[in-house]
Short mmCIF file of all heavy atoms in Angstrom, two decimals:
data_model
loop_
_atom_site.label_atom_id
_atom_site.label_comp_id
_atom_site.label_asym_id
_atom_site.label_seq_id
_atom_site.Cartn_x
_atom_site.Cartn_y
_atom_site.Cartn_z
N ALA A 22 5.09 3.86 -4.89
CA ALA A 22 4.31 2.78 -4.18
C ALA A 22 2.87 3.10 -4.54
O ALA A 22 2.15 2.04 -4.59
CB ALA A 22 4.64 2.96 -2.63
N PHE A 29 -1.78 -3.00 -9.08
CA PHE A 29 -2.25 -4.18 -8.46
C PHE A 29 -3.84 -4.10 -8.47
O PHE A 29 -4.48 -5.08 -8.64
CB PHE A 29 -1.75 -4.35 -7.06
CG PHE A 29 -0.44 -5.01 -6.88
CD1 PHE A 29 0.71 -4.28 -6.46
CD2 PHE A 29 -0.18 -6.31 -7.36
CE1 PHE A 29 1.92 -4.89 -6.39
CE2 PHE A 29 1.03 -6.86 -7.30
CZ PHE A 29 2.12 -6.16 -6.81
N GLU A 49 -23.04 3.35 -24.06
CA GLU A 49 -23.73 4.68 -24.14
C GLU A 49 -23.87 5.28 -22.77
O GLU A 49 -24.16 6.48 -22.66
CB GLU A 49 -25.08 4.59 -24.89
CG GLU A 49 -26.14 3.67 -24.09
CD GLU A 49 -26.12 2.29 -24.59
OE1 GLU A 49 -25.08 1.83 -25.15
OE2 GLU A 49 -27.10 1.52 -24.41
N TYR A 52 -22.13 7.30 -16.99
CA TYR A 52 -21.70 7.29 -15.65
C TYR A 52 -21.70 5.84 -15.13
O TYR A 52 -22.50 5.46 -14.29
CB TYR A 52 -22.67 8.07 -14.81
CG TYR A 52 -22.65 9.56 -15.25
CD1 TYR A 52 -23.54 10.05 -16.21
CD2 TYR A 52 -21.76 10.51 -14.65
CE1 TYR A 52 -23.58 11.35 -16.67
CE2 TYR A 52 -21.74 11.80 -15.20
CZ TYR A 52 -22.62 12.25 -16.16
OH TYR A 52 -22.62 13.51 -16.60
N LEU A 53 -20.83 5.01 -15.68
CA LEU A 53 -20.74 3.63 -15.38
C LEU A 53 -20.33 3.40 -13.95
O LEU A 53 -19.47 4.15 -13.43
CB LEU A 53 -19.80 2.90 -16.31
CG LEU A 53 -20.01 3.08 -17.83
CD1 LEU A 53 -19.02 2.38 -18.62
CD2 LEU A 53 -21.48 2.58 -18.11
N ASP A 54 -20.85 2.40 -13.27
CA ASP A 54 -20.50 2.11 -11.87
C ASP A 54 -19.27 1.20 -11.89
O ASP A 54 -19.34 0.03 -11.88
CB ASP A 54 -21.67 1.42 -11.18
CG ASP A 54 -21.40 1.14 -9.75
OD1 ASP A 54 -20.35 1.59 -9.25
OD2 ASP A 54 -22.12 0.38 -9.13
N TRP A 57 -16.56 -0.06 -7.59
CA TRP A 57 -16.54 -1.19 -6.63
C TRP A 57 -15.11 -1.65 -6.39
O TRP A 57 -14.75 -2.08 -5.32
CB TRP A 57 -17.33 -2.32 -7.15
CG TRP A 57 -16.90 -2.96 -8.44
CD1 TRP A 57 -17.36 -2.52 -9.70
CD2 TRP A 57 -15.92 -3.94 -8.64
NE1 TRP A 57 -16.63 -3.20 -10.67
CE2 TRP A 57 -15.81 -4.14 -10.08
CE3 TRP A 57 -15.19 -4.70 -7.76
CZ2 TRP A 57 -14.96 -5.07 -10.57
CZ3 TRP A 57 -14.36 -5.69 -8.38
CH2 TRP A 57 -14.19 -5.82 -9.70
N LEU A 66 -5.99 7.15 -2.94
CA LEU A 66 -6.82 8.30 -2.66
C LEU A 66 -8.30 8.02 -3.10
O LEU A 66 -9.23 8.49 -2.43
CB LEU A 66 -6.30 9.60 -3.34
CG LEU A 66 -4.97 10.16 -2.89
CD1 LEU A 66 -4.67 11.43 -3.67
CD2 LEU A 66 -4.91 10.35 -1.39
N ALA A 79 -7.05 13.19 4.85
CA ALA A 79 -6.27 14.38 5.28
C ALA A 79 -4.86 13.88 5.67
O ALA A 79 -3.90 14.59 5.33
CB ALA A 79 -7.01 15.05 6.41
N MET A 90 7.68 18.34 -0.06
CA MET A 90 8.54 19.45 0.45
C MET A 90 9.92 18.98 0.71
O MET A 90 10.88 19.80 0.62
CB MET A 90 7.82 19.98 1.67
CG MET A 90 6.52 20.74 1.43
SD MET A 90 5.76 21.51 2.93
CE MET A 90 6.89 22.79 3.18
N GLN A 91 10.08 17.71 1.14
CA GLN A 91 11.44 17.23 1.50
C GLN A 91 12.23 17.05 0.16
O GLN A 91 13.45 17.12 0.17
CB GLN A 91 11.24 15.84 2.21
CG GLN A 91 10.78 16.02 3.59
CD GLN A 91 10.46 14.61 4.18
OE1 GLN A 91 10.75 13.56 3.62
NE2 GLN A 91 9.87 14.60 5.30
N HIS A 98 6.30 28.23 -2.89
CA HIS A 98 4.84 28.14 -2.51
C HIS A 98 4.14 26.97 -3.19
O HIS A 98 3.17 26.40 -2.69
CB HIS A 98 4.15 29.45 -2.90
CG HIS A 98 4.59 30.67 -2.06
ND1 HIS A 98 4.28 30.68 -0.65
CD2 HIS A 98 5.25 31.76 -2.33
CE1 HIS A 98 4.73 31.89 -0.21
NE2 HIS A 98 5.43 32.47 -1.26
N GLY A 115 -10.19 6.60 -16.31
CA GLY A 115 -9.74 8.03 -16.34
C GLY A 115 -10.27 8.81 -15.24
O GLY A 115 -10.04 10.08 -15.23
N ASN A 140 -6.28 18.67 -10.11
CA ASN A 140 -6.58 19.31 -11.42
C ASN A 140 -8.10 19.07 -11.72
O ASN A 140 -8.56 17.95 -11.82
CB ASN A 140 -5.75 18.66 -12.47
CG ASN A 140 -5.83 19.28 -13.88
OD1 ASN A 140 -6.81 19.93 -14.19
ND2 ASN A 140 -4.88 19.12 -14.72
N LYS A 148 -15.19 11.80 -21.81
CA LYS A 148 -14.83 13.17 -21.67
C LYS A 148 -15.69 13.82 -20.46
O LYS A 148 -16.12 15.02 -20.64
CB LYS A 148 -15.12 13.97 -22.98
CG LYS A 148 -14.17 13.51 -24.04
CD LYS A 148 -14.34 14.38 -25.28
CE LYS A 148 -13.35 13.96 -26.41
NZ LYS A 148 -13.50 14.80 -27.64
N SER A 150 -16.04 15.57 -17.08
CA SER A 150 -15.24 16.39 -16.18
C SER A 150 -15.92 16.39 -14.77
O SER A 150 -17.02 16.04 -14.61
CB SER A 150 -15.21 17.87 -16.70
OG SER A 150 -16.48 18.51 -16.56
N ASP A 160 -25.24 19.76 -7.60
CA ASP A 160 -24.40 20.05 -6.40
C ASP A 160 -23.71 21.39 -6.63
O ASP A 160 -22.55 21.43 -7.02
CB ASP A 160 -23.38 18.93 -6.17
CG ASP A 160 -22.55 19.12 -4.91
OD1 ASP A 160 -22.72 20.17 -4.21
OD2 ASP A 160 -21.70 18.26 -4.61
N ALA A 161 -24.39 22.49 -6.30
CA ALA A 161 -23.96 23.78 -6.62
C ALA A 161 -22.68 24.12 -5.73
O ALA A 161 -21.84 24.87 -6.21
CB ALA A 161 -25.00 24.85 -6.37
N LYS A 162 -22.61 23.66 -4.52
CA LYS A 162 -21.53 23.99 -3.68
C LYS A 162 -20.17 23.41 -4.27
O LYS A 162 -19.18 24.10 -4.35
CB LYS A 162 -21.72 23.47 -2.28
CG LYS A 162 -22.83 24.16 -1.51
CD LYS A 162 -22.95 23.68 -0.03
CE LYS A 162 -24.05 24.45 0.67
NZ LYS A 162 -24.19 23.95 2.06
N LEU A 168 -15.21 25.28 -10.24
CA LEU A 168 -15.10 26.36 -11.24
C LEU A 168 -14.15 27.46 -10.68
O LEU A 168 -13.65 28.19 -11.57
CB LEU A 168 -16.48 26.90 -11.52
CG LEU A 168 -17.48 25.91 -12.19
CD1 LEU A 168 -18.88 26.60 -12.34
CD2 LEU A 168 -16.97 25.48 -13.52
N ASN A 184 -20.77 13.59 -25.98
CA ASN A 184 -21.92 13.91 -26.79
C ASN A 184 -22.19 15.38 -26.90
O ASN A 184 -23.28 15.84 -27.14
CB ASN A 184 -23.15 13.28 -26.05
CG ASN A 184 -23.22 11.78 -26.18
OD1 ASN A 184 -22.80 11.16 -27.17
ND2 ASN A 184 -23.62 11.06 -25.12
N VAL A 199 -30.41 14.53 -4.49
CA VAL A 199 -29.92 13.36 -3.80
C VAL A 199 -31.04 12.27 -3.79
O VAL A 199 -30.71 11.07 -3.62
CB VAL A 199 -29.48 13.62 -2.31
CG1 VAL A 199 -30.68 14.02 -1.50
CG2 VAL A 199 -28.69 12.46 -1.71
#
Side-chain angles (χ1 to χ4, degrees):
F29 278 114
E49 63 268 23
Y52 300 91
L53 304 181
D54 181 12
W57 61 270
L66 296 186
M90 294 183 68
Q91 291 172 7
H98 292 294
N140 187 336
K148 296 185 178 180
S150 70
D160 184 357
K162 292 183 179 179
L168 296 175
N184 290 324
V199 68

